[in-house]
Amino acid sequence: MMSEEDSDQNNGMMCCAACGIAEVDDIKLITCDGCDIVKYCSNTCQQEHRPQHDATCKERAAKLRDEILFQQPESSHLGDCPICFLPLSIDPKKSTFMGCCSKIICQGCAYANTLHQNEENLEPACAFCRHPLPKTQKESEMNKMKRVEVNDPFALLHVGVKHKVEGDHEKAFKYWAKAAELGDVDAHYLISDLYREGKGVEKDEKKELY
């Protein structure tokens, strides 16, 4: 029976880790389900090699699980956090929209900013542009409207959401349509909902899809 070291070397040559037979036309190797590396020519060879391979297999399988569990997505339609440059999660609970500059900040950076301000006894300010945070809802809405005036798609999206919550679907459509023209993916999705439900616009199955 081959050693684990020999089997690793033969693995690069597509050989059975147990008996060393190479993969040819009439012999197809099967890959170990645990480590996804070592190969065998038969179930018999795999069973015979199990005692020798078991510890290494479990270690490799654990690494694979960790890679899947903790890997960061390459990107999302929201892009990266402008502070740490990690991809933003599509889960809205894991990010914060800053109305002053229309930046979406990951919760990690938002928390770090709040922690720093508390430790230094600083006035609350935006983690990105450092603009003082609004103290009232009215001030917050004024900041958003300033961003709307310069055709900021995120601001247009959020103002549209506000109108939808208030029941004014026509105004919501107006802001979302502008945001969609500027390339906002979420606005396209929300407009599709309006066409599907016939709220604020005439119900249209074709426009719902496209």
Side-chain angles (χ1 to χ4, degrees), residues 58-158:
K58 288 180 178 178
E59 181 181 352
R60 171 61 181 166
K63 288 181 179 179
L64 286 174
R65 285 194 296 270
D66 287 346
E67 287 175 6
I68 295 172
L69 183 62
F70 296 109
Q71 69 181 354
Q72 290 283 344
E74 292 184 1
S75 64
S76 76
H77 70 283
L78 295 174
D80 299 336
C81 171
I83 297 176
C84 66
F85 301 109
L86 289 176
L88 289 165
S89 171
I90 59 174
D91 184 351
K93 295 180 181 179
K94 295 182 179 180
S95 60
T96 300
F97 173 75
M98 310 306 298
C100 47
C101 56
S102 285
K103 297 295 183 182
I104 298 180
I105 311 296
C106 75
Q107 284 297 75
C109 288
Y111 175 75
N113 181 58
T114 301
L115 191 64
H116 170 70
Q117 290 171 163
N118 290 340
E119 290 175 347
E120 300 296 328
N121 198 27
L122 301 173
E123 287 293 322
C126 173
F128 182 77
C129 71
R130 313 313 301 170
H131 188 280
L133 294 182
K135 296 180 180 180
T136 64
Q137 184 63 30
K138 182 178 180 180
E139 188 179 350
S140 176
E141 295 303 322
M142 287 176 62
N143 286 341
K144 285 183 184 178
M145 293 311 297
K146 287 179 181 178
R147 300 302 306 173
V148 166
E149 290 172 4
V150 295
N151 289 328
D152 187 299
F154 284 127
L156 289 161
L157 177 74
H158 280 261

Side-chain angles (χ1 to χ4, degrees), residues 10 38 46 51 69 74 80 87 103 108 121 155 162 166-167 180 200 207:
N10 282 341
V38 176
Q46 185 172 11
L69 183 62
E74 292 184 1
D80 299 336
K103 297 295 183 182
N121 198 27
K162 173 180 176 292
E166 294 173 348
K207 289 184 178 180

Side-chain angles (χ1 to χ4, degrees), residues 40-71:
Y40 300 99
C41 64
S42 66
N43 290 329
T44 300
C45 273
Q46 185 172 11
Q47 291 172 4
E48 290 178 354
H49 192 249
R50 171 54 60 184
Q52 184 179 354
H53 176 57
D54 191 54
T56 304
C57 182
K58 288 180 178 178
E59 181 181 352
R60 171 61 181 166
K63 288 181 179 179
L64 286 174
R65 285 194 296 270
D66 287 346
E67 287 175 6
I68 295 172
L69 183 62
F70 296 109
Q71 69 181 354

